[in-house]
């Protein structure tokens, strides 16, 4: 599997893809040459440079941005206020290529830290640098494209975890690591402004990011760089998105005329439904994520096999979490791959072959593939994750917070406090689990008792008691639903409306509305008391 993901042409071989990218920029520079003399100078310097210098230059985010903006200005006649600045950046790039030890953006960094010593290792952004023309353009890109992120110089611990994370990645999947990291020129440690401390159990607002307008660059939050294992995972994750973007720019991954505005969308069942639409993925994002999850399955499989052996070098890692992440990676990739088959016409010739290649890898290497079309297991992953997050946050409320009124929720107007709303939710989820089992023609196991109704819910419980009760109810519901073979959920029984898998989806949809209201209330109460 690794050889295919890392070395197979045209989709795996990173050197081949970078060669295609070089050819693309050579053609674009030739197109610019009649209007931008500096383009000719860069083109000649690229051809005279050594392979490392060429690769680092064409991967540089500022060089790429300057070329793209000049093409838009001179070929598409788009207004470009900084066209003269972009032409000057090309002139400076040509001069730097005479001694290409660094990429253009890296030239102004005095103390340059890299992920490693090899040619394919990118460098790590530092705020302490010369504010030259390249830095000015890069900061303008950040302000325009990712204004919510604040870049930072990593401290010694985070820097060490990044370097050791790259080393761990190359220990576990050496070919895939090299093939992926070859597309990452810059690693930026960044975060969003902290409006307030996170409540225990609250997910961070930002973990990692790749932006299609800032190529060759990945953004990682400090919270995902807490140890080498997590750093390795996110270097691979975001690096693969960059690799896909290079494929997208050099191969017919999407049909001619593809538009995000008109693209079909996929709703991943493991994400909460969001009114903003952020939980909906268009075809181009969905196929990139399928690629990421397929490769992550290999990463987690290798990590599981070698966790004990590598612990003395890279620290301990939770084996159960590795097992869970491995299964989820296979399941999510398979789900997306199947859904994308229904949107196949949105892909170009290369994109269709790419999808077939990924689906073939999954069929070959997944030891326990889910049934075709199944998604209940993915819904229950979300159900369990929500239970852990909610119970953790609930347990950190004060007893007085439990008595505060909660804004009315449609369908449960009589439940006006956290314990009462939680009890209402427990009763509904238990009842709906019974309905799902009845639709499946199955009986509930003995001892599966519904919690007391909301009207009789105790109002003076400790927060930890309410959290423990909620966790227990969700665990029982999840266990019962997971005991049913996944394929049975897709069978519509006579008189069963909706189908069992859709009934599980409706159960989570109902609960999500309540949990969203409760989480908002609990977070406000926690910070008001802090």
């Amino acid at each position: 599997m690794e050889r295919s993901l890392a070395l197979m042409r045209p989709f795996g071989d990173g050197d081949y893809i970078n060669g295609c990218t070089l050819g693309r920029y050579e053609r674009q520079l030739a197109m610019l040459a009649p209007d931008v003399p500096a383009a000719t100078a860069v083109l000649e310097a690229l051809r005279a440079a050594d392979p490392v210098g060429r690769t680092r230059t064409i991967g540089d985010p500022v060089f790429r941005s300057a070329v793209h903006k000049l093409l838009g200005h001179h070929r598409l006649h788009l207004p470009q206020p900084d066209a003269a600045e972009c032409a000057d950046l090309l002139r400076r790039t040509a001069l730097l290529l005479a001694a290409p030890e660094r990429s253009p953006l890296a030239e102004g960094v005095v103390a340059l830290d890299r992920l490693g010593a090899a040619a394919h290792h990118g460098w790590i952004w530092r705020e302490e640098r010369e504010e030259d023309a390249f830095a000015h353009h890069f900061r303008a890109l950040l302000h325009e494209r990712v204004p919510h992120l604040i870049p930072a110089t990593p401290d010694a611990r985070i820097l060490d975890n990044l370097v050791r994370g790259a080393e761990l990645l190359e220990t576990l999947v050496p070919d895939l690591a090299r093939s992926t990291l070859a597309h990452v020129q810059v690693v930026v440690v960044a975060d969003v402004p902290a409006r307030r401390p996170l409540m225990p159990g609250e997910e961070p607002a930002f973990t990692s990011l790749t932006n299609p307008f800032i190529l060759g660059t990945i953004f990682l939050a400090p919270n995902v760089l807490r140890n080498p294992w997590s750093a390795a995972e996110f270097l691979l994750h975001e690096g693969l998105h960059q690799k896909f973007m290079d494929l997208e720019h050099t191969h017919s991954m999407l049909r001619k005329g593809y538009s995000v505005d008109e693209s079909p969308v996929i709703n991943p069942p493991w994400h909460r439904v969001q009114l903003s639409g952020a939980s909906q993925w268009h075809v181009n994002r969905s196929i990139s994520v399928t690629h990421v999850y397929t490769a992550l399955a290999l990463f987690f499989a290798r990590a599981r096999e070698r966790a004990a052996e590598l612990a003395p070098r890279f620290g301990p890692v939770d084996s159960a979490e590795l097992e869970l992440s491995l299964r989820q990676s296979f399941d999510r990739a398979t789900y997306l791959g199947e859904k994308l088959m229904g949107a196949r016409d949105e892909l170009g010739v290369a994109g269709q072959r790419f999808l077939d290649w990924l689906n073939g890898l999954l069929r070959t290497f997944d030891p326990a593939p889910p049934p075709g079309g199944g998604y209940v297991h993915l819904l229950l992953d979300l159900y369990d994750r929500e239970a852990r997050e909610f119970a953790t946050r609930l347990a950190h409320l004060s007893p007085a917070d439990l008595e505060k009124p909660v804004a009315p929720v449609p369908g449960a107007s009589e439940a006006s406090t956290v314990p009462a709303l939680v009890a209402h939710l427990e009763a509904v989820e238990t009842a709906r689990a019974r309905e799902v089992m009845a639709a499946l023609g199955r009986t509930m196991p003995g001892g599966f008792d519904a919690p007391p109704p909301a009207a009789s819910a105790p109002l003076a419980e400790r927060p930890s008691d309410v959290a423990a009760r909620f966790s227990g109810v969700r665990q029982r519901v999840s266990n019962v639903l997971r005991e049913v073979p996944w394929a049975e959920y897709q069978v519509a029984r006579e008189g069963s409306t909706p189908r069992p898998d859709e009934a599980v989806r409706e159960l989570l949809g109902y609960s999500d509305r309540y949990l969203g209201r409760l989480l908002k209330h609990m977070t406000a109460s926690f910070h008001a008391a802090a």
Side-chain angles (χ1 to χ4, degrees):
M1 183 174 180
E2 182 179 5
R3 289 185 61 82
S4 185
L5 285 168
L7 303 176
M8 191 276 287
R9 293 187 181 185
F11 306 126
D13 188 336
D15 291 335
Y16 163 79
I17 297 168
N18 275 334
C20 293
T21 301
L22 172 62
R24 174 175 180 261
Y25 280 100
E26 287 179 334
R27 292 189 295 274
Q28 291 179 340
L29 289 167
M31 291 171 62
L32 286 173
D35 301 297
V36 184
T40 301
V42 174
L43 186 56
E44 292 174 352
L46 275 174
R47 290 170 175 168
D50 63 71
V52 174
R54 284 197 296 269
T55 300
R56 287 179 175 172
T57 298
I58 64 164
D60 186 89
V62 173
F63 167 75
R64 289 189 174 196
S65 172
V67 171
H68 296 167
K69 287 187 174 188
L70 287 170
L71 280 171
H73 182 65
H74 291 287
R75 288 291 167 265
L76 301 179
H77 308 293
L78 300 175
Q80 195 62 59
D82 59 349
E85 174 196 317
C86 291
D88 182 60
L89 289 170
L90 292 192
R91 181 187 64 80
R92 293 171 183 267
T93 298
L95 296 174
L96 293 174
L97 271 165
E101 295 181 2
R102 299 181 175 189
S103 65
L105 181 58
E107 188 63 25
V109 182
V110 176
L112 191 68
D113 296 306
R114 289 191 173 277
L115 292 174
H120 65 274
H121 286 131
W123 59 280
I124 301 162
W125 174 264
R126 298 181 67 90
E127 284 292 286
E128 302 79 21
R129 57 162 297 136
E130 179 187 347
E131 289 301 316
D132 56 12
F134 295 102
H136 173 77
H137 190 91
F138 188 68
R139 291 191 188 280
L141 274 178
L142 299 184
H143 179 73
E144 179 184 3
R145 299 298 179 181
V146 286
H148 59 294
L149 292 185
I150 300 176
T153 299
D155 60 28
R157 179 185 63 85
I158 289 178
L159 182 61
D160 181 62
N161 285 338
L162 269 171
V163 173
R164 293 173 68 211
E167 181 186 354
L168 172 60
L169 186 61
E170 293 178 334
T171 301
L172 293 172
V173 283
D175 291 332
L176 180 60
R178 183 187 181 282
S179 174
T180 301
L181 294 180
H183 300 272
V184 178
Q185 282 295 320
V186 191
V187 178
V188 180
V189 178
D191 212 342
V192 295
R195 293 177 297 176
R196 51 173 175 72
L198 290 178
M199 183 180 183
E202 186 177 0
E203 294 182 353
F206 170 68
T207 54
S208 64
L209 175 73
T210 298
N211 185 282
F213 295 96
I214 311 177
L215 296 168
T217 307
I218 64 174
F219 299 86
L220 303 177
N223 64 72
V224 303
L225 302 174
R226 59 190 180 276
N227 60 60
W229 295 91
S230 180
E233 174 191 344
F234 280 87
L235 283 170
L236 178 62
H237 184 139
E238 295 302 332
L240 286 164
H241 281 308
Q242 279 294 340
K243 184 177 182 179
F244 180 83
M245 279 190 258
D246 283 345
L247 275 171
E248 195 175 357
H249 290 162
T250 55
H251 294 71
S252 56
M253 303 302 286
L254 301 167
R255 67 170 175 81
K256 187 176 182 179
Y258 171 84
S259 168
V260 168
D261 294 334
E262 300 174 358
S263 170
V265 296
I266 295 174
N267 297 294
W270 55 91
H271 278 192
R272 286 194 183 106
V273 175
Q274 298 179 26
L275 296 178
S276 65
S279 57
Q280 296 182 328
W281 292 350
H282 298 95
V283 167
N284 59 333
R285 182 178 182 186
S286 296
I287 195 167
S288 180
V289 175
T290 306
H291 182 213
V292 170
Y293 278 132
T294 302
L296 283 176
L298 173 64
F299 169 80
F300 287 122
R302 295 279 178 84
R304 179 190 60 179
E305 293 167 4
R306 302 188 63 184
E309 170 201 345
L310 295 175
R313 284 175 61 190
F314 299 104
V317 63
D318 189 328
S319 297
E321 282 296 319
L322 291 177
E323 190 72 46
L324 177 62
S325 297
L326 168 60
R327 186 64 260 158
Q328 288 179 344
S329 296
F330 269 130
D331 289 347
R332 292 174 181 184
T334 298
Y335 177 85
L336 291 171
E338 289 179 353
K339 287 295 183 181
L340 283 165
M341 291 299 291
R344 192 179 177 86
D345 290 345
E346 296 295 315
L347 303 174
V349 173
Q352 292 180 5
R353 292 177 179 174
F354 183 74
L355 178 60
D356 292 340
W357 171 63
L358 291 177
N359 284 337
L361 286 175
L362 292 166
R363 285 192 298 270
T364 301
F365 292 103
D366 187 350
Y375 60 83
V376 169
H377 53 302
L378 298 170
L379 291 172
L380 292 176
D381 287 345
L382 171 61
Y383 187 73
D384 293 343
R385 191 170 72 248
E386 284 182 339
R388 291 191 297 271
E389 177 188 349
F390 182 76
T392 300
R393 293 167 74 171
L394 178 56
H396 282 82
L397 291 182
S398 69
D401 289 332
L402 295 187
E403 302 294 339
K404 293 179 181 178
V406 181
V409 179
S413 57
E414 77 287 353
S416 58
T417 64
V418 171
L421 275 175
V422 169
H424 171 82
L425 197 54
E426 292 166 351
V428 170
E429 290 187 6
T430 302
R432 293 204 172 188
R434 291 181 182 279
E435 293 171 4
V436 171
M437 294 296 281
L440 289 164
R442 290 173 169 263
T443 58
M444 299 297 285
F448 189 89
D449 298 318
S456 61
L459 299 180
E461 291 180 291
R462 294 177 301 174
S464 58
D465 295 333
V466 181
R469 192 185 72 217
F470 177 77
S471 295
V473 169
R474 279 224 160 179
Q475 187 65 60
R476 290 201 304 275
V477 170
S478 179
N479 288 345
V480 164
L481 297 179
R482 286 181 182 277
E483 288 175 1
V484 179
W486 302 131
E488 288 190 26
Y489 282 98
Q490 299 165 251
V491 179
R493 294 181 176 273
E494 185 176 354
S496 172
T497 305
R499 209 171 69 173
D501 51 3
E502 287 303 311
V504 176
R505 187 190 289 274
E506 289 180 7
L507 185 158
L508 264 74
Y510 181 90
S511 297
D512 266 356
R513 291 190 291 274
Y514 276 79
L515 287 179
R517 185 70 59 89
L518 283 165
L519 286 170
K520 183 177 181 180
H521 170 83
M522 292 193 304
T523 302
S525 297
F526 177 83
H527 289 293

